[in-house]
Amino acid sequence: MSIEYELLKQHSASYRVIGPEKWAKLLENFTGNGESEEFPAFLAGRLQEYELEPYVAELAQLEYACARVRYGDSLLPKTVDEITINPTLELLQLQWTNLVPLLFPEDYPNVEPEEGEELVLIWKDPATKGIRVRKALQDELLALKTTLENLDRKKVAAAGNTSIGEIDWAFEKAFRRGILLSPESKIKRNLETFPALKNMGDRFSSAQVFTLQWHITQLCDLHCKHCYDRSKRSPLKLQQGLAILDQLREFALSRNVDAQVSFTGGNPLL
């Protein structure tokens, strides 16, 4: 593959910004004098000489990072034993904002770069194996920092004056986006008991969500014929209920699943 073809393949957005005439002149000076990873720095040194847009060198840096993730050697593991940062993930600190939309001109036709610091995440999606790139969100950075430094989520919540639920939700979103990788669910059917599931994959043999059906009250102002529970029990006190929710959270984390509660009764609205 020629260096000209490689650069054009990696830097299509930079090419659009620079224009074909200036691009050709730039390549005449660059070809034979450098490798593709040196192209962003080469542009940075010729912004005034070629009257280039001041952000184009960082745009080229972003594009090269995308190519590095797309064609790099980092492999996505099939399974992990603990919460793991996606090994293909790159965090790029830029001095210009709104560069990512330039990679997708059809979706963002009127977005202009502006001076200002911006953190960009680039990673390979575990589900699609495609490249994802966009501005880093605060909840993503929090989940990454907590994982990287092996911090206790409860202490992170206390330090940030927020709820543990917000921290857990930040992790859940990072899992769904493929930024963090989660271990497999530990709630699984015994395939010896359910042999028909052996060739059907984890979708039917393991649970991703654990549901607690909670009869929070036996009080009821209805008389449904199908009701199967008319026993009399005293409702739990608030602190007892909160303790149960804490136990449910710990159970779900230990089994690598999400937890949800179905509140019922009686009539739970009473």
Side-chain angles (χ1 to χ4, degrees):
M1 181 188 299
S2 67
I3 186 67
E4 293 90 345
Y5 177 80
E6 183 178 356
L7 289 175
L8 186 58
K9 182 180 179 181
Q10 292 178 356
H11 300 287
S12 58
S14 298
Y15 174 81
R16 287 193 302 270
V17 172
I18 293 172
E21 186 174 337
K22 291 182 180 180
W23 180 269
K25 293 180 180 179
L26 285 165
L27 286 191
E28 287 179 5
N29 289 325
F30 181 77
T31 303
N33 297 319
E35 301 295 331
S36 58
E37 62 265 24
E38 300 170 349
F39 189 61
F42 171 80
L43 290 179
R46 287 159 178 78
L47 296 178
Q48 294 183 347
E49 178 184 351
Y50 286 88
E51 297 181 342
L52 302 176
E53 294 287 355
Y55 58 81
V56 74
E58 286 213 342
L59 175 60
Q61 182 185 357
L62 173 61
E63 289 187 291
Y64 181 74
C66 290
R68 189 165 56 236
V69 172
R70 179 178 285 109
Y71 304 112
D73 296 330
S74 296
L75 300 176
L76 287 167
K78 291 184 178 180
T79 60
V80 293
D81 296 327
E82 59 185 1
I83 295 175
T84 304
I85 295 175
N86 186 322
T88 69
L89 180 73
E90 289 204 18
L91 179 63
L92 195 63
Q93 183 168 4
L94 302 173
Q95 302 304 313
W96 286 83
T97 66
N98 295 334
L99 292 184
V100 173
L102 296 181
L103 305 180
F104 311 99
E106 298 84 4
D107 299 327
Y108 306 95
N110 300 314
V111 176
E112 292 294 331
E114 298 179 359
E115 284 192 80
E117 290 189 1
E118 184 168 272
L119 292 172
V120 173
L121 293 176
I122 310 164
W123 73 101
K124 190 173 292 185
D125 190 310
T128 67
K129 304 301 185 290
I131 297 299
R132 299 187 65 180
V133 50
R134 61 173 173 74
K135 175 182 176 181
L137 303 178
Q138 286 301 315
D139 60 356
E140 295 168 339
L141 295 174
L142 179 61
L144 288 170
K145 176 181 175 63
T146 303
T147 302
L148 183 64
E149 299 181 11
N150 195 28
L151 301 177
D152 182 88
R153 294 193 199 182
K154 291 182 179 179
K155 293 181 179 180
V156 172
N161 194 28
T162 188
S163 69
I164 185 62
E166 288 293 332
I167 306 301
D168 287 343
W169 181 231
F171 269 80
E172 178 60 26
K173 288 186 285 187
F175 292 143
R176 295 183 183 188
R177 295 163 183 160
I179 295 170
L180 290 179
L181 307 180
S182 174
E184 291 183 341
S185 168
K186 293 182 180 180
I187 301 180
K188 297 187 176 183
R189 293 184 186 274
N190 185 333
L191 296 184
E192 297 301 322
T193 306
F194 298 91
L197 298 176
K198 288 186 176 181
N199 298 320
M200 299 181 69
D202 286 345
R203 179 183 175 188
F204 299 101
S205 61
S206 63
Q208 304 304 315
V209 178
F210 180 83
T211 302
L212 170 65
Q213 183 170 304
W214 191 344
H215 294 244
I216 61 174
T217 178
Q218 295 301 92
L219 295 176
C220 189
D221 51 354
L222 304 174
H223 300 279
C224 300
K225 290 185 177 181
H226 64 265
C227 181
Y228 59 85
D229 188 357
R230 299 181 186 274
S231 60
K232 292 184 179 180
R233 281 170 288 180
S234 299
L236 295 176
K237 295 181 179 180
L238 176 60
Q239 291 306 315
Q240 291 176 309
L242 294 177
I244 288 175
L245 291 177
D246 287 339
Q247 292 172 20
L248 174 63
R249 174 182 178 272
E250 294 299 329
F251 173 82
L253 289 175
S254 70
R255 301 303 193 276
N256 305 322
V257 295
D258 294 331
Q260 65 184 19
V261 181
S262 174
F263 290 106
T264 182
N267 181 351
L269 298 180
L270 294 179

